PDB file of all heavy atoms in Angstrom:
ATOM      1  N   TYR M 256     -32.377  38.157  25.450  1.00  0.00           N
ATOM      2  CA  TYR M 256     -31.747  39.255  26.201  1.00  0.00           C
ATOM      3  C   TYR M 256     -32.463  39.508  27.490  1.00  0.00           C
ATOM      4  O   TYR M 256     -33.677  39.334  27.611  1.00  0.00           O
ATOM      5  CB  TYR M 256     -31.706  40.514  25.303  1.00  0.00           C
ATOM      6  CG  TYR M 256     -31.043  40.344  24.013  1.00  0.00           C
ATOM      7  CD1 TYR M 256     -31.697  39.852  22.886  1.00  0.00           C
ATOM      8  CD2 TYR M 256     -29.696  40.686  23.845  1.00  0.00           C
ATOM      9  CE1 TYR M 256     -31.106  39.656  21.689  1.00  0.00           C
ATOM     10  CE2 TYR M 256     -29.067  40.524  22.568  1.00  0.00           C
ATOM     11  CZ  TYR M 256     -29.747  40.009  21.535  1.00  0.00           C
ATOM     12  OH  TYR M 256     -29.127  39.825  20.341  1.00  0.00           O
ATOM     13  N   HIS M 257     -31.690  39.945  28.476  1.00  0.00           N
ATOM     14  CA  HIS M 257     -32.323  40.410  29.771  1.00  0.00           C
ATOM     15  C   HIS M 257     -31.839  41.864  29.980  1.00  0.00           C
ATOM     16  O   HIS M 257     -30.574  42.102  30.136  1.00  0.00           O
ATOM     17  CB  HIS M 257     -31.955  39.568  30.931  1.00  0.00           C
ATOM     18  CG  HIS M 257     -32.694  39.942  32.148  1.00  0.00           C
ATOM     19  ND1 HIS M 257     -32.031  40.300  33.296  1.00  0.00           N
ATOM     20  CD2 HIS M 257     -34.029  40.054  32.460  1.00  0.00           C
ATOM     21  CE1 HIS M 257     -32.870  40.664  34.294  1.00  0.00           C
ATOM     22  NE2 HIS M 257     -34.115  40.435  33.781  1.00  0.00           N
ATOM     23  N   ASP M 258     -32.717  42.769  30.013  1.00  0.00           N
ATOM     24  CA  ASP M 258     -32.346  44.178  30.101  1.00  0.00           C
ATOM     25  C   ASP M 258     -31.290  44.535  29.073  1.00  0.00           C
ATOM     26  O   ASP M 258     -30.319  45.366  29.362  1.00  0.00           O
ATOM     27  CB  ASP M 258     -31.854  44.488  31.531  1.00  0.00           C
ATOM     28  CG  ASP M 258     -32.960  44.394  32.583  1.00  0.00           C
ATOM     29  OD1 ASP M 258     -34.133  44.480  32.183  1.00  0.00           O
ATOM     30  OD2 ASP M 258     -32.625  44.106  33.734  1.00  0.00           O
ATOM     31  N   GLY M 259     -31.428  44.015  27.912  1.00  0.00           N
ATOM     32  CA  GLY M 259     -30.591  44.343  26.747  1.00  0.00           C
ATOM     33  C   GLY M 259     -29.240  43.589  26.711  1.00  0.00           C
ATOM     34  O   GLY M 259     -28.508  43.694  25.675  1.00  0.00           O
ATOM     35  N   VAL M 260     -28.982  42.795  27.684  1.00  0.00           N
ATOM     36  CA  VAL M 260     -27.710  41.987  27.710  1.00  0.00           C
ATOM     37  C   VAL M 260     -28.008  40.559  27.131  1.00  0.00           C
ATOM     38  O   VAL M 260     -28.964  39.878  27.579  1.00  0.00           O
ATOM     39  CB  VAL M 260     -27.143  41.799  29.136  1.00  0.00           C
ATOM     40  CG1 VAL M 260     -25.941  41.003  29.165  1.00  0.00           C
ATOM     41  CG2 VAL M 260     -26.878  43.245  29.713  1.00  0.00           C
ATOM     42  N   PRO M 261     -27.168  40.057  26.219  1.00  0.00           N
ATOM     43  CA  PRO M 261     -27.437  38.742  25.584  1.00  0.00           C
ATOM     44  C   PRO M 261     -27.202  37.665  26.616  1.00  0.00           C
ATOM     45  O   PRO M 261     -26.247  37.662  27.340  1.00  0.00           O
ATOM     46  CB  PRO M 261     -26.408  38.642  24.477  1.00  0.00           C
ATOM     47  CG  PRO M 261     -25.347  39.645  24.828  1.00  0.00           C
ATOM     48  CD  PRO M 261     -26.017  40.765  25.540  1.00  0.00           C
ATOM     49  N   ILE M 262     -28.179  36.707  26.751  1.00  0.00           N
ATOM     50  CA  ILE M 262     -28.120  35.706  27.753  1.00  0.00           C
ATOM     51  C   ILE M 262     -28.255  34.313  27.165  1.00  0.00           C
ATOM     52  O   ILE M 262     -27.904  33.288  27.902  1.00  0.00           O
ATOM     53  CB  ILE M 262     -29.130  35.893  28.851  1.00  0.00           C
ATOM     54  CG1 ILE M 262     -30.556  35.840  28.287  1.00  0.00           C
ATOM     55  CG2 ILE M 262     -28.852  37.242  29.567  1.00  0.00           C
ATOM     56  CD1 ILE M 262     -31.595  35.868  29.359  1.00  0.00           C
ATOM     57  N   ALA M 263     -28.786  34.151  25.945  1.00  0.00           N
ATOM     58  CA  ALA M 263     -29.004  32.808  25.440  1.00  0.00           C
ATOM     59  C   ALA M 263     -29.065  32.861  23.914  1.00  0.00           C
ATOM     60  O   ALA M 263     -29.439  33.843  23.382  1.00  0.00           O
ATOM     61  CB  ALA M 263     -30.304  32.194  25.976  1.00  0.00           C
ATOM     62  N   LEU M 264     -28.656  31.695  23.242  1.00  0.00           N
ATOM     63  CA  LEU M 264     -28.711  31.672  21.813  1.00  0.00           C
ATOM     64  C   LEU M 264     -29.257  30.216  21.375  1.00  0.00           C
ATOM     65  O   LEU M 264     -29.152  29.269  22.126  1.00  0.00           O
ATOM     66  CB  LEU M 264     -27.387  31.864  21.236  1.00  0.00           C
ATOM     67  CG  LEU M 264     -26.213  30.994  21.561  1.00  0.00           C
ATOM     68  CD1 LEU M 264     -26.168  29.773  20.533  1.00  0.00           C
ATOM     69  CD2 LEU M 264     -24.922  31.699  21.487  1.00  0.00           C
ATOM     70  N   PHE M 265     -29.819  30.223  20.222  1.00  0.00           N
ATOM     71  CA  PHE M 265     -30.384  28.973  19.693  1.00  0.00           C
ATOM     72  C   PHE M 265     -30.159  29.056  18.191  1.00  0.00           C
ATOM     73  O   PHE M 265     -30.513  30.034  17.525  1.00  0.00           O
ATOM     74  CB  PHE M 265     -31.912  28.974  20.002  1.00  0.00           C
ATOM     75  CG  PHE M 265     -32.762  27.936  19.270  1.00  0.00           C
ATOM     76  CD1 PHE M 265     -33.038  26.760  19.873  1.00  0.00           C
ATOM     77  CD2 PHE M 265     -33.196  28.160  17.975  1.00  0.00           C
ATOM     78  CE1 PHE M 265     -33.806  25.752  19.207  1.00  0.00           C
ATOM     79  CE2 PHE M 265     -33.976  27.253  17.355  1.00  0.00           C
ATOM     80  CZ  PHE M 265     -34.294  25.973  17.958  1.00  0.00           C
ATOM     81  N   VAL M 266     -29.511  28.028  17.604  1.00  0.00           N
ATOM     82  CA  VAL M 266     -29.161  28.035  16.204  1.00  0.00           C
ATOM     83  C   VAL M 266     -29.699  26.720  15.567  1.00  0.00           C
ATOM     84  O   VAL M 266     -29.262  25.585  15.913  1.00  0.00           O
ATOM     85  CB  VAL M 266     -27.642  28.111  15.949  1.00  0.00           C
ATOM     86  CG1 VAL M 266     -27.353  28.117  14.485  1.00  0.00           C
ATOM     87  CG2 VAL M 266     -27.081  29.359  16.601  1.00  0.00           C
ATOM     88  N   MET M 267     -30.635  26.873  14.640  1.00  0.00           N
ATOM     89  CA  MET M 267     -31.182  25.762  13.904  1.00  0.00           C
ATOM     90  C   MET M 267     -31.086  26.072  12.416  1.00  0.00           C
ATOM     91  O   MET M 267     -31.159  27.267  11.982  1.00  0.00           O
ATOM     92  CB  MET M 267     -32.636  25.538  14.289  1.00  0.00           C
ATOM     93  CG  MET M 267     -33.354  24.321  13.659  1.00  0.00           C
ATOM     94  SD  MET M 267     -34.891  23.909  14.452  1.00  0.00           S
ATOM     95  CE  MET M 267     -35.940  25.229  13.869  1.00  0.00           C
ATOM     96  N   ILE M 268     -30.800  25.052  11.582  1.00  0.00           N
ATOM     97  CA  ILE M 268     -30.733  25.205  10.178  1.00  0.00           C
ATOM     98  C   ILE M 268     -31.565  24.150   9.458  1.00  0.00           C
ATOM     99  O   ILE M 268     -31.769  23.066   9.962  1.00  0.00           O
ATOM    100  CB  ILE M 268     -29.304  25.173   9.638  1.00  0.00           C
ATOM    101  CG1 ILE M 268     -28.631  23.831  10.000  1.00  0.00           C
ATOM    102  CG2 ILE M 268     -28.443  26.348  10.148  1.00  0.00           C
ATOM    103  CD1 ILE M 268     -27.267  23.640   9.387  1.00  0.00           C
ATOM    104  N   PRO M 269     -32.049  24.396   8.272  1.00  0.00           N
ATOM    105  CA  PRO M 269     -32.714  23.340   7.482  1.00  0.00           C
ATOM    106  C   PRO M 269     -31.686  22.291   7.123  1.00  0.00           C
ATOM    107  O   PRO M 269     -30.477  22.515   7.015  1.00  0.00           O
ATOM    108  CB  PRO M 269     -33.088  24.150   6.141  1.00  0.00           C
ATOM    109  CG  PRO M 269     -33.101  25.591   6.518  1.00  0.00           C
ATOM    110  CD  PRO M 269     -32.025  25.727   7.565  1.00  0.00           C
ATOM    111  N   ASP M 270     -32.139  21.070   7.025  1.00  0.00           N
ATOM    112  CA  ASP M 270     -31.265  19.951   6.716  1.00  0.00           C
ATOM    113  C   ASP M 270     -30.966  19.842   5.282  1.00  0.00           C
ATOM    114  O   ASP M 270     -31.733  19.175   4.507  1.00  0.00           O
ATOM    115  CB  ASP M 270     -31.965  18.607   7.201  1.00  0.00           C
ATOM    116  CG  ASP M 270     -30.948  17.455   7.068  1.00  0.00           C
ATOM    117  OD1 ASP M 270     -29.777  17.686   6.687  1.00  0.00           O
ATOM    118  OD2 ASP M 270     -31.402  16.316   7.331  1.00  0.00           O
ATOM    119  N   ILE M 271     -30.005  20.551   4.843  1.00  0.00           N
ATOM    120  CA  ILE M 271     -29.628  20.671   3.434  1.00  0.00           C
ATOM    121  C   ILE M 271     -29.166  19.278   2.884  1.00  0.00           C
ATOM    122  O   ILE M 271     -29.091  19.112   1.627  1.00  0.00           O
ATOM    123  CB  ILE M 271     -28.528  21.684   3.223  1.00  0.00           C
ATOM    124  CG1 ILE M 271     -28.403  21.986   1.704  1.00  0.00           C
ATOM    125  CG2 ILE M 271     -27.202  21.312   3.803  1.00  0.00           C
ATOM    126  CD1 ILE M 271     -27.329  23.100   1.429  1.00  0.00           C
ATOM    127  N   ASN M 272     -28.860  18.336   3.714  1.00  0.00           N
ATOM    128  CA  ASN M 272     -28.573  16.985   3.244  1.00  0.00           C
ATOM    129  C   ASN M 272     -29.636  16.439   2.310  1.00  0.00           C
ATOM    130  O   ASN M 272     -29.360  15.587   1.403  1.00  0.00           O
ATOM    131  CB  ASN M 272     -28.312  16.060   4.389  1.00  0.00           C
ATOM    132  CG  ASN M 272     -26.859  16.111   4.979  1.00  0.00           C
ATOM    133  OD1 ASN M 272     -26.096  16.934   4.417  1.00  0.00           O
ATOM    134  ND2 ASN M 272     -26.611  15.365   5.939  1.00  0.00           N
ATOM    135  N   GLN M 273     -30.903  16.860   2.510  1.00  0.00           N
ATOM    136  CA  GLN M 273     -31.923  16.347   1.656  1.00  0.00           C
ATOM    137  C   GLN M 273     -31.839  16.848   0.205  1.00  0.00           C
ATOM    138  O   GLN M 273     -32.348  16.231  -0.741  1.00  0.00           O
ATOM    139  CB  GLN M 273     -33.354  16.744   2.247  1.00  0.00           C
ATOM    140  CG  GLN M 273     -33.563  16.057   3.526  1.00  0.00           C
ATOM    141  CD  GLN M 273     -34.879  16.514   4.172  1.00  0.00           C
ATOM    142  OE1 GLN M 273     -34.997  17.577   4.789  1.00  0.00           O
ATOM    143  NE2 GLN M 273     -35.968  15.705   3.992  1.00  0.00           N
TER     144      GLN M 273
END
Side-chain angles (χ1 to χ4, degrees):
Y256 300 86
H257 185 241
D258 294 335
V260 178
I262 61 171
L264 61 90
F265 169 96
V266 180
M267 183 166 73
I268 58 172
D270 186 6
I271 193 179
N272 277 359
Q273 292 177 282

